[in-house]
Each structure stands twice: as C-alpha cells, then as structure tokens.
C-alpha cells in the first residue's frame, strides 16, 4: 500500500489565495486570483491512487520534477526518480517508498532514457547559477540505485528544465535555462566520463522550465510560464523558430504554465495558477480537456511543478499507465509526488 497521511483539503479560493502569496515574485502572482481564474475552463476530477514519501527538505518549496522508468520484465517493479531541488535525487518504488537518495545538491528537473542496456538519468544542475550543467547518473533497475556518471556543461545561465530525446543518431538533452534559452546538447556516453556538445540554441522570451519530447514526431514541447505552451522541431538540424500551441490566457492554462508530459498521443501541461492540468491531442494539437487531482485517500495536488505520464501496464495498481505529479502543498509533511492512474484520467476526459 502506498504511503498515506496527506491532507484532504478541497480546492477553494482560500487555497488559491495562499498559492498566490507563496508565489511571491512570479508575474502571475501579481494578478488577483479572481482575475486569473475567472475565465478558466471546467475541469474534471480524478483522485490519486498513491503517493511517495515526502522529501526530506521540510518547510520549503523542494520537491519539483519526476521521471518514470517502466520495468518491461516486471511492470509492478517500475521506478520513479524525483528531485528535491534543495538537496538531490530520490528513487521511489510504485509503493511510494524511497529506495535510494543521492546528495546532488540543487538539481531542479529530471528525465531518463534507456540507452543500450543502461538507464540514463539526467538532471538540470543549478549548483552554479551562472553556468548550467547536466548531471548524469546510471539507474540500476534491479537495485533502484543511482550511480553518478559525471557532469556536462550546458552553457551560461541558471539550469532549470531538462528533457531527453533518444534520436537515431544520438542521445540529446534539451537544457531549458531560466531566461527561456533552450540548448540542445548531444550526449556522448562512450568514454570513461560523459561529454556533451551544444548543437543548437533556441529561445523563448521569458522564464521557461517544463519540457518534453514526442519522439514519434520529433517535436519538443516547452512551457513558457507566463505565455503558454510552445513547440519546436527536436531534430538537431531542424528550424529553431517556436510555434505557439496554447496560450496561458486563463482558460485552458492559467499561468504559471509549468510541467509538461508527452504520452499516449497527448501532451499534458500543469496549469499551476488554478491547480489543474490541460490536455492537448498531439496529432493536431487541439485542446481536449482539463482535470484536477481532487481530495481523496492520498490528498489533492496544488501548485504542481513537474509532471510525467507513461502509458502501458504498470501492474495491478496501475494497469493502464501512470501520471506522477509534484504536490506543492502537502501539509503537515514536506512536499511529495502523487500517483494517478492514467486510464482514469482518460476516462474522465472521454479520451
């Protein structure tokens, strides 16, 4: 059974007011709550089927972004990697229990990819605020242990978002710097320590973070917090101009636009401003609905930063895929991650 103990508080205007006050310097927080949510589209509700243990950093905005590794031989033995952006990386089982922790300092976002026989984990490393780095690990699927491999330079600026793209020619990391600069870094894992080369630079106008790649279409999706969701060509030789997919106009996405996940023919965006999630169909990038993770056995979610979705069989508890969402308000405990059945989200939205 996954750990319990979360609050079951409802989604109220008081909660939103607290959210705004906590966001402090964010541009969206300067706009009254009532204004930001007045035009928000309706959202269906689902409940979490589990949650992780809380991160160790208490009384702080600490948990941030998850990644999911599906164990093909034993789906119920799959793993979740999550960041404590003040301290390092956790590895959790689907029962929510922490299996490993690596003291990596200020790692903000995380993603993973299978390269040959290895599970490669990449985190955006902001220990040096002036110079972005990618910290790489190998994840052992059997022991759930992380082994540090080294760091790769990713250019000037504060590291923020990261996502991986396993192309035919290379493993690429997209480093989203806090100012909206996006660098595509080719990762070479053939040597004793990893190396990297910036092969392309893209740019959004303001603070950006969440990103995800649809490998089938070679498209990169990036959330610009106060502007909305953008698409880029993910190919190393592709054009660098962004295409607007959805605006953070207070309807489907209420700023901040935060975490981004791509799976099962859909792209999901965390509408942090009203504690919801917007869903778009990948084939034509049309809006198909919104949902919230409502109070239940494991509590609701508020102020979600990072999200991840992976479709497929994850065993009896998650037979149709899994969504993992950071929970920014998990009192009386520190922040954690909530686990939701992807099949229930699709059913709620009629997908």
């Amino acid at each position: 059974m996954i750990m319990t103990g979360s609050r079951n508080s409802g989604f109220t205007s008081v909660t939103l007011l607290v959210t705004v006050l906590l966001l402090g310097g964010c541009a969206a927080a300067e706009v009254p709550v009532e204004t930001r949510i007045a035009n928000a589209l309706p959202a269906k509700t689902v409940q979490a089927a589990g949650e992780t243990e809380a991160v160790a950093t208490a009384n702080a905005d600490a948990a941030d972004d998850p990644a999911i590794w599906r164990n093909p031989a034993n789906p119920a033995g799959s793993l979740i990697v999550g960041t404590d952006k003040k301290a390092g990386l956790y590895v959790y089982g689907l029962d929510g229990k922490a299996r490993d922790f690596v003291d990596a300092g200020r790692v903000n976002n995380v993603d993973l990819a299978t390269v040959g026989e290895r599970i490669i984990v990449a985190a955006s490393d902001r220990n040096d605020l002036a110079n972005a780095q990618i910290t790489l690990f190998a994840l052992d699927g059997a022991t759930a242990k992380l082994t540090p491999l080294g760091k790769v330079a990713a250019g000037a600026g504060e590291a923020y978002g990261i996502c991986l793209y396993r192309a035919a020619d290379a493993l690429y990391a997209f480093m989203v710097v806090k100012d909206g600069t996006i660098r595509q870094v080719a990762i070479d894992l053939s040597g004793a320590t990893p190396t990297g080369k910036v092969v392309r630079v893209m740019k959004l106008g303001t603070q950006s973070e969440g990103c995800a790649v649809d490998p089938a279409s070679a498209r990169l999706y990036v959330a610009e917090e106060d502007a909305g969701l953008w698409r880029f060509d993910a190919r190393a030789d592709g054009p660098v101009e962004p295409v607007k997919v959805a605006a953070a106009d207070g309807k489907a996405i209420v700023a901040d636009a935060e975490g981004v996940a791509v799976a099962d023919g859909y792209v999901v965006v965390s509408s942090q401003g009203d504690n919801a999630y917007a869903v778009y169909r990948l084939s034509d990038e049309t809006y198909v609905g919104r949902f919230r993770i409502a109070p239940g056995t494991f509590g609701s979610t508020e102020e979600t930063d990072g999200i991840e979705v992976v479709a497929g069989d994850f065993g009896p508890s998650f037979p149709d895929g899994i969504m993992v969402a950071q929970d920014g308000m998990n009192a009386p405990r520190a922040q954690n991650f909530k686990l939701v059945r992807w099949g229930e989200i699709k059913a709620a939205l009629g997908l």
Side-chain angles (χ1 to χ4, degrees):
M1 194 69 174
I2 298 177
M3 297 294 294
T4 62
S6 291
R7 76 283 167 274
N8 294 312
S9 58
F11 178 79
T12 68
S13 59
V14 174
T15 300
L16 282 173
L17 180 57
V18 172
T19 298
V20 171
L21 294 174
L22 288 174
L23 287 173
C26 297
E30 299 169 1
V31 181
V33 173
E34 293 79 5
T35 300
R36 290 195 291 120
I37 68 171
N39 297 317
L41 295 172
K44 302 292 186 179
T45 59
V46 296
Q47 293 183 342
E51 65 178 338
T52 68
E53 295 177 332
V55 299
T57 303
N59 303 315
D61 179 19
D64 196 274
D65 190 48
I68 302 168
W69 174 68
R70 181 181 177 275
N71 186 333
N74 176 24
S78 299
L79 300 170
I80 299 164
V81 181
T83 61
D84 177 337
K85 61 187 177 185
K86 311 291 186 183
L89 283 173
Y90 285 89
V91 180
Y92 302 98
L94 295 189
D95 60 358
K97 294 181 179 178
R99 302 277 302 277
D100 193 22
F101 173 77
V102 174
D103 181 359
R106 293 163 58 88
V107 287
N108 200 58
N109 279 196
V110 66
D111 200 3
L112 59 81
T114 300
V115 181
E117 298 298 317
R118 292 199 290 177
I119 309 163
I120 302 298
V121 175
S124 56
D125 188 319
R126 61 197 292 200
N127 286 294
D128 179 353
L129 296 181
N131 297 286
Q133 297 185 91
I134 301 167
T135 298
L136 295 163
F137 304 84
L139 173 63
D140 187 318
T143 65
K145 301 301 181 184
L146 287 167
T147 301
L149 298 177
K151 296 187 179 186
V152 171
E158 182 179 348
Y160 224 46
I162 195 168
C163 50
L164 296 179
Y165 172 38
R166 185 76 176 95
D169 61 330
L171 174 67
Y172 294 102
F174 290 97
M175 169 60 70
V176 182
V177 180
K178 194 171 185 178
D179 69 359
T181 301
I182 305 158
R183 298 188 182 97
Q184 185 169 0
V185 183
I187 305 295
D188 186 348
L189 299 166
S190 61
T193 58
T195 59
K197 178 182 178 181
V198 177
V199 298
R200 204 164 55 126
V201 180
M202 296 160 281
K203 187 71 172 72
L204 292 174
T206 60
Q207 184 168 310
S208 305
E209 182 176 3
C211 69
V213 176
D214 173 31
S217 63
R219 289 177 171 178
L220 165 70
Y221 292 89
V222 183
E224 184 180 1
E225 293 188 1
D226 291 337
L229 181 67
W230 298 86
R231 166 176 40 93
F232 292 90
D233 192 319
R235 296 171 296 180
D237 59 353
V240 297
E241 294 76 20
V243 176
K244 175 65 75 70
V245 175
D249 57 4
K251 296 179 181 178
I253 301 174
V254 180
D256 291 342
E258 287 281 349
V260 180
V262 169
D264 201 22
Y266 300 94
V267 55
V268 185
V269 184
S270 172
S271 173
Q272 191 185 74
D274 73 332
N275 303 332
Y277 309 89
V279 184
Y280 300 84
R281 185 179 293 108
L282 285 173
S283 59
D284 54 9
E285 295 175 343
T286 57
Y287 167 77
V288 296
R290 286 168 23 103
F291 66 95
R292 290 192 178 93
I293 301 172
T297 302
F298 302 97
S300 54
T301 58
E302 288 83 28
E303 300 181 26
T304 295
D305 288 324
I307 60 174
E308 182 62 294
V309 178
V310 176
D313 175 21
F314 281 82
S317 297
F318 300 94
D320 301 310
I322 185 171
M323 174 179 174
V324 179
Q326 181 261 5
D327 185 8
M329 297 181 69
N330 191 44
R333 298 181 299 151
Q335 295 178 346
N336 73 348
F337 300 90
K338 296 295 190 286
L339 285 62
V340 185
R341 296 184 180 99
W342 175 238
E344 291 187 5
I345 294 170
K346 291 179 67 177
L349 298 178
L351 302 179

